[in-house]
Amino acid sequence: EQAQIKKIYVPPHSSDNGTALGAAFCVSIENNDSSFTEMKNAYWGPQYDQAEILKTLKSENVSYQKEVDISQTVANLLHENKVIAWFQGRMEVGSRALGNRSILANPSNILIRDFINQKIKNRETWRPFAASILEGYKEKYLVNSKDSPFMTLAFTTTKEFQKLAPAAIHIDGTTRPQIVNFEENPLYYQLIEKFGNLSGVYALLNTSFNLKEEPIICTPQQALNTFLSSEIDYLVLGDYIISKK
């Protein structure tokens, strides 16, 4: 918020798992290569195609359904206050789930925050969740908004967003958002957009796809195991959707 600060860049993996990129960055500087300045997205981990996902589902003998428009189907479920485990594309690097290995929910429902904390994450009720916000709505929802694709910066929220998304806002009126643009994650963007068309809220509550004291899931098998041992309502693996029913 200070006028002299024009930009802050905090990469998504500011921890031990950032040393690999740090080493490469160091070498590029030594070689006078200034082409790399910052990461645009965090999707650099493993990915699994539809065939691998289907193989996992068949091996575990679970009921599943393939959807023609997975983003619309899931948007409808989110609008019905269902909690969704969302597994798509390449895994995120770093400690934040950014729409590829995420647990998603309706940010308007304050009771969902407590449900996820108590029944899924098994953690203290005061722990906050973050919001994934469409790029075109950041100025409407955030005070002094800036691009923040990695959930590494906190912003004061507007009065409007505090009314729209209480489950994804801290007690002091701030949130630590992921600003989502179409170019970097088109499917996740479409999901939030379609949920917004239904609800009027162009944001989702987004937390990492894992249970207490476990790392973020990586593989379809890990996703299925975590889903079956939790109270998450639906699991989405690529175009396939699995329910507890």
Side-chain angles (χ1 to χ4, degrees):
E1 295 177 351
Q2 297 180 28
Q4 68 270 31
I5 305 299
K6 303 303 179 186
K7 184 176 182 181
I8 297 176
Y9 171 65
V10 182
H13 51 347
S14 301
S15 57
D16 287 350
N17 60 15
T19 54
L21 181 61
F25 197 16
C26 183
V27 171
S28 71
I29 293 173
E30 291 173 351
N31 293 334
N32 295 317
D33 178 7
S34 60
S35 59
F36 175 78
T37 55
E38 61 184 59
M39 296 171 65
K40 299 298 183 184
N41 68 68
Y43 310 117
W44 298 101
Q47 63 181 336
Y48 302 86
D49 60 23
Q50 300 291 325
E52 292 173 290
I53 290 171
L54 187 58
K55 181 179 178 181
T56 298
L57 292 173
K58 288 183 175 180
S59 70
E60 292 297 322
N61 194 31
V62 296
S63 298
Y64 57 86
Q65 183 172 328
K66 187 172 184 180
E67 298 292 333
V68 175
D69 187 350
I70 192 68
S71 59
Q72 186 62 64
T73 298
V74 174
N76 293 341
L77 292 171
L78 289 165
H79 192 231
E80 295 169 6
N81 292 311
K82 303 301 183 183
V83 178
I84 309 294
W86 177 257
F87 180 107
Q88 302 290 346
R90 298 186 68 166
M91 185 181 179
E92 305 89 336
V93 62
S95 59
R96 305 298 177 201
L98 300 168
N100 281 7
R101 302 289 189 277
S102 292
I103 294 173
L104 306 174
N106 182 350
S108 299
N109 189 339
I110 195 70
L111 297 178
I112 281 183
R113 179 195 64 192
D114 296 336
F115 175 79
I116 296 174
N117 268 331
Q118 296 174 17
K119 300 296 185 179
I120 297 175
K121 291 286 191 173
N122 295 310
R123 63 185 195 176
E124 301 89 346
T125 55
W126 52 263
R127 292 207 180 206
F129 292 111
S132 292
I133 298 172
L134 287 194
E135 185 177 38
Y137 288 81
K138 65 181 181 182
E139 294 182 0
K140 190 174 184 180
Y141 293 165
L142 307 173
V143 177
N144 192 33
S145 66
K146 301 285 188 296
D147 285 330
S148 182
F150 306 130
M151 284 187 181
T152 50
L153 300 175
F155 298 84
T156 299
T157 55
T158 62
K159 296 296 184 182
E160 178 181 1
F161 194 55
Q162 290 171 22
K163 293 179 181 179
L164 291 174
I169 294 175
H170 306 165
I171 194 170
D172 63 353
T174 65
T175 192
R176 179 174 41 80
Q178 172 197 8
I179 305 302
V180 181
N181 67 51
F182 182 83
E183 291 73 20
E184 304 301 341
N185 198 329
L187 182 61
Y188 192 40
Y189 184 98
Q190 290 169 359
L191 172 62
I192 301 172
E193 184 177 47
K194 289 174 181 177
F195 172 78
N197 292 341
L198 292 169
S199 66
V201 186
Y202 290 86
L204 289 175
L205 183 157
N206 174 14
T207 188
S208 56
F209 188 176
N210 64 292
L211 304 182
K212 185 178 182 181
E213 297 179 351
E214 293 182 358
I216 299 176
I217 63 96
C218 176
T219 69
Q221 185 66 61
Q222 290 170 352
L224 190 58
N225 292 346
T226 299
F227 170 68
L228 294 174
S229 61
S230 73
E231 294 195 39
I232 299 169
D233 295 313
Y234 290 86
L235 168 64
V236 176
L237 296 173
D239 290 333
Y240 294 95
I241 188 164
I242 305 96
S243 75
K244 290 289 170 57
K245 296 180 183 179

